[in-house]
Amino acid sequence: MPHLSTRVLQGLLTLLLTLFGLLLVTFALSAFSPVDRVLQIVGDHASQSTYDQVRHQLGLDQPLPVQFWHYLLNLLHGDLGTASATGQPVLQDLLAAFPATLELATLALVVGATLGVIAGVLCARFVGSTWDLFVRTFTLLGNSVPIFWLGLLMLALFYARLHWSAGPGRLDDIYLYTVEPRTGFALIDTALSGDGEALRNAISHLVLPVLLLAYYSLASITRLTRSACLSEMNKEYILLARAKGAGEMTILLRHVLPNIRGTLLTVIALAYTGMLEGAVLTETVFSWPGIGRYLTTALFAGDTTAIMGGTLVIGVSFVLINNLTDLLVRLTDPRVR
């Protein structure tokens, strides 16, 4: 059996190959896109000489392998190109947008994973009960109801009618221009400003989008936790624990949960990556200035440079989270080493 360090090196090699494949895919998406990047810059009424000059400056008149090589060199220098929609470097746009998505997805994952594991364990403990039926129905709705419809419904009810939460955006205008954006995370920046009202305003803006995303992750985590617990409950070591007088909840918490931690870590990581790449509709409904909304705006503007940069960032996040999860499972579970 390979040593753990060998496994880690193999994992790093797989990570590098996956990232290289991701770069190839994002470059191919841009190279074979029907959108003409030159026309986006010079406009429809530019002369042929101007068109050719800009095309040469962008390096689009060179063979694809040469373009890909220059693409890699630019990436090494942190150059993702200039977004035609905003007129700013794509890296600068992404650095401003990604913390908003990361803050939203991380808080939603904490809420969804915590409640999902607890609900799944309780469903396994009281399988077939009214509680089990209610939770399964509730989680089934989580995967059935369109996220944008539920988001609009939450805004109409809790913001427009009941006034229980703040509306779209990350902060009200009065705080948006008074709180210094030091980290890009609204909670941290408002806390560092020392303005308690600004912090409460940031929390109020987070409540609805976090609960919406958490609901969708909770649905999958609850169902998987329940089924994983039930599959373990009939094994011999559980029967032995019962014979020794251990209670059902003690068995679930002390014996079952540690044995299914690898499965739980995997499904939680998948839920996290799903939030990072699937927060597009949530960010659009709540006017959340994250990477999902940035990609939506770039898509409607036909800005292939911005789309390629955003896709690359989400893809890299997906690869890193999955590889880190795999490494964490190997480190914590001796059975898969």
Side-chain angles (χ1 to χ4, degrees):
M1 179 178 293
H3 193 267
L4 181 60
S5 58
T6 306
R7 290 291 190 101
V8 172
L9 289 177
Q10 290 175 346
L12 289 175
L13 180 60
T14 304
L15 174 63
L16 292 176
L17 290 175
T18 307
L19 289 176
F20 184 74
L22 176 65
L23 291 175
L24 272 176
V25 171
T26 54
F27 174 77
L29 287 175
S30 172
F32 297 107
S33 169
V35 178
D36 193 332
R37 292 167 56 191
V38 181
L39 277 182
Q40 284 185 309
I41 297 174
V42 300
D44 295 333
H45 303 291
S47 64
Q48 184 63 41
S49 60
T50 304
Y51 180 91
D52 293 338
Q53 183 181 358
V54 173
R55 188 165 183 266
H56 176 71
Q57 289 174 349
L58 294 176
L60 298 178
D61 55 348
Q62 297 179 355
L64 285 178
V66 177
Q67 292 184 39
F68 182 64
W69 174 248
H70 289 161
Y71 173 59
L72 293 180
L73 290 179
N74 290 334
L75 281 180
L76 289 176
H77 291 87
D79 183 7
L80 294 176
T82 302
S84 59
T86 64
Q88 296 181 340
V90 173
L91 182 61
Q92 182 179 331
D93 287 344
L94 293 175
L95 288 176
F98 194 60
T101 298
L102 194 62
E103 182 178 50
L104 179 63
T106 303
L107 290 173
L109 180 75
V110 171
V111 175
T114 304
L115 296 180
V117 171
I118 293 173
V121 170
L122 291 177
C123 285
R125 171 64 183 87
F126 302 105
V127 62
S129 65
T130 305
W131 163 262
D132 185 29
L133 180 62
F134 169 76
V135 171
R136 281 194 292 161
T137 305
F138 183 70
T139 54
L140 181 63
L141 288 175
N143 285 343
S144 306
V145 179
I147 191 169
F148 67 91
W149 180 83
L150 191 56
L152 291 173
L153 187 66
M154 292 171 72
L155 272 177
L157 179 62
F158 297 110
Y159 166 61
R161 186 170 182 82
L162 299 175
H163 305 292
W164 286 0
S165 71
R170 301 181 77 188
L171 285 170
D172 287 345
D173 289 343
I174 188 174
Y175 302 112
L176 193 62
Y177 299 106
T178 55
V179 175
E180 183 182 356
R182 301 179 186 178
T183 65
F185 297 93
L187 290 181
I188 298 176
D189 288 341
T190 51
L192 291 176
S193 72
D195 188 341
E197 286 297 326
L199 178 60
R200 281 190 284 275
N201 188 259
I203 295 173
S204 181
H205 277 272
L206 274 165
V207 170
L208 291 184
V210 164
L211 289 179
L212 181 62
L213 273 182
Y215 179 39
Y216 280 83
S217 65
L218 180 148
S220 57
I221 293 172
T222 300
R223 290 203 315 276
L224 190 135
T225 304
R226 177 184 181 276
S227 60
C229 287
L230 290 177
S231 67
E232 288 286 317
M233 293 296 281
N234 294 322
K235 292 186 176 178
E236 290 185 358
Y237 74 97
I238 298 297
L239 299 177
L240 180 61
R242 283 199 186 102
K244 290 182 177 180
E248 291 297 311
M249 191 54 76
T250 302
I251 291 174
L252 280 166
L253 297 179
R254 296 185 59 181
H255 301 288
V256 173
L257 275 183
N259 281 333
I260 63 171
R261 60 183 178 275
T263 305
L264 289 180
L265 284 173
T266 302
V267 73
I268 289 173
L270 289 175
Y272 194 32
T273 54
M275 288 181 191
L276 288 177
E277 64 179 318
V280 175
L281 291 175
T282 303
E283 292 183 357
T284 303
V285 170
F286 288 93
S287 295
W288 197 261
I291 198 167
R293 189 177 172 217
Y294 178 73
L295 279 176
T296 305
T297 305
L299 188 64
F300 283 116
D303 189 347
T304 54
T305 306
I307 295 172
M308 192 165 62
T311 305
L312 183 63
V313 169
I314 291 177
V316 169
S317 302
F318 186 90
V319 172
L320 289 177
I321 290 173
N322 280 284
N323 279 273
L324 285 174
T325 303
D326 184 58
L327 180 62
L328 187 60
V329 171
R330 292 180 187 280
L331 290 174
T332 58
D333 194 344
R335 296 171 299 178
V336 296
R337 289 177 187 172

